[in-house]
Amino acid sequence: MAGKQGKDLALSILRVLPRVSLGNIRNNPGSNKPSKRGRGQHGGNKHGAGNKGSGQRQNYMRLGYETGNTPFYLRFSREPYYKGHHLRREYPPLSLQKLQMFIDTNRLDISKPIDLISLINTGLYNINVHWKHAGVHLTDEGVHYFKAKVNIEVQWASEPVIAAIERNGGVITTAYYDTNCLHAICNTEQFFSRGEPIPRRFLPPTDCLEYYSSAATRGYLADPEKISQERLVLAQKYGYELPKIEDDPDYEMLCERKDPRQLFYGLEPGWVISLRDKAILKPKAEYLKKFYMS
């Protein structure tokens, strides 16, 4: 009954109301725009166009035009400062203070060698290969607060950073990774799931070959005997007593190094990692072994 009475009431209201027409329809909110300012009203006669010339006609001069003078970009010669900037390798910085924070918060295990993969796995440091990132630049910010003994591998480091790590009994190495290897390092799970063999590392290009072959920068291609001499020279320069690695209980960990062709600790180039089967497939052909180890 209530529903029937409601229908009758609605019909009675419609009979009384006028018909819908253009005269009793209200416009949508915001559809009516206020009228613009008229011509010459309120004391002005320029209608928002400004003064004479290009300002009134909205015919502005092109960028760099100096009204007849020789433009700036023609008065001075070309500067090749930014030539090839899109091809230069970049090294995102990581300070010693932040590295110490990673160690204090148990994000890094100093009982094992630290490399680029260990830093990325912390979740607090990342590189983007598409932005020409080529690895870690370890900076000397917080050098006086760094107290850890580590075996670390980075891509770029200055002399104060090397001294700070070796003063605490640690070891540092600078190593180069090519673009193909960096793609595999940035997302190891995705790389292993594709079922591709681990690539071999290429040698550094000519513009940084000297850096990674120098014992002063602790390059991974340098002579170990020269590195021992440079460690002593750096200790005398900065005035600290160089700890003896041979007497250290962590001697094996501190001496652990990657092969110049190796990408991951414990895994050799050419191996295929099967995450589904949890197995490691190794090449058996001799020509494959020679190819990946050459």
Side-chain angles (χ1 to χ4, degrees):
M1 290 296 292
K4 188 175 181 181
Q5 291 178 359
K7 293 179 182 178
D8 296 339
L9 181 60
L11 289 173
S12 63
I13 293 174
L14 285 174
R15 291 191 187 99
V16 177
L17 292 175
R19 290 193 172 211
V20 178
S21 63
L22 295 176
N24 53 21
I25 293 179
R26 182 180 295 177
N27 293 331
N28 294 329
S31 62
N32 286 347
K33 296 182 179 179
S35 59
K36 295 183 179 181
R37 178 176 171 180
R39 297 176 64 86
Q41 296 180 4
H42 308 291
N45 58 358
K46 298 186 180 178
H47 325 300
N51 293 320
K52 299 178 182 179
S54 59
Q56 181 182 4
R57 300 180 182 86
Q58 298 181 359
N59 180 24
Y60 302 106
M61 293 179 291
R62 59 177 171 81
L63 188 65
Y65 184 67
E66 298 185 11
T67 63
N69 297 332
T70 304
F72 173 83
Y73 62 89
L74 292 180
R75 284 201 304 269
F76 299 94
S77 60
R78 174 176 171 272
E79 285 287 340
Y81 180 79
Y82 294 106
K83 182 180 179 181
H85 68 282
H86 60 290
L87 301 175
R88 296 177 184 173
R89 289 181 296 274
E90 297 185 6
Y91 301 90
L94 175 68
S95 64
L96 286 174
Q97 183 176 1
K98 188 171 288 186
L99 181 63
Q100 184 68 49
M101 185 267 290
F102 291 169
I103 297 170
D104 295 340
T105 54
N106 295 327
R107 287 182 170 89
L108 285 175
D109 186 8
I110 60 175
S111 63
K112 299 178 182 178
I114 299 172
D115 59 349
L116 180 59
I117 304 171
S118 304
L119 295 173
I120 293 176
N121 289 338
T122 60
L124 301 177
Y125 182 85
N126 195 16
I127 62 173
N128 192 337
V129 186
H130 301 289
W131 294 352
K132 303 299 179 183
H133 290 175
V136 189
H137 177 200
L138 198 59
T139 63
D140 58 354
E141 182 182 358
V143 64
H144 301 292
Y145 303 101
F146 187 76
K147 303 298 180 183
K149 180 178 65 176
V150 295
N151 178 8
I152 188 169
E153 179 191 84
V154 296
Q155 281 62 59
W156 203 270
S158 59
E159 189 177 83
V161 173
I162 298 173
I165 291 177
E166 294 180 351
R167 180 182 58 198
N168 298 325
V171 177
I172 183 172
T173 308
T174 55
Y176 171 78
Y177 289 97
D178 56 276
T179 306
N180 191 26
C181 294
L182 289 172
H183 278 291
I185 288 175
C186 290
N187 196 339
T188 54
E189 184 177 359
Q190 182 182 10
F191 172 74
F192 289 147
S193 63
R194 291 201 299 262
E196 298 180 1
I198 299 175
R200 58 174 184 171
R201 258 199 295 178
F202 291 160
L203 293 176
T206 56
D207 58 346
C208 60
L209 180 61
E210 183 179 356
Y211 180 85
Y212 292 111
S213 302
S214 174
T217 57
R218 307 300 187 266
Y220 74 117
L221 300 177
D223 188 2
E225 295 184 358
K226 293 183 179 179
I227 291 179
S228 301
Q229 297 175 3
E230 290 293 336
R231 284 169 57 90
L232 182 60
V233 169
L234 198 63
Q236 295 174 352
K237 180 178 180 180
Y238 283 86
Y240 60 87
E241 186 178 355
L242 186 66
K244 291 184 179 180
I245 300 180
E246 295 80 4
D247 301 336
D248 198 292
D250 300 326
Y251 175 72
E252 294 184 0
M253 184 274 295
L254 294 174
C255 292
E256 191 172 352
R257 296 285 186 279
K258 289 182 184 178
D259 187 79
R261 294 294 189 184
Q262 193 176 3
L263 197 60
F264 304 100
Y265 280 108
L267 300 175
E268 295 183 5
W271 291 6
V272 178
I273 310 301
S274 177
L275 297 179
R276 180 179 297 179
D277 301 333
K278 296 182 180 180
I280 299 177
L281 308 177
K282 303 179 181 179
K284 297 182 179 180
E286 291 296 331
Y287 72 94
L288 288 176
K289 296 179 181 180
K290 292 181 180 179
F291 172 76
Y292 284 107
M293 297 307 296
S294 61

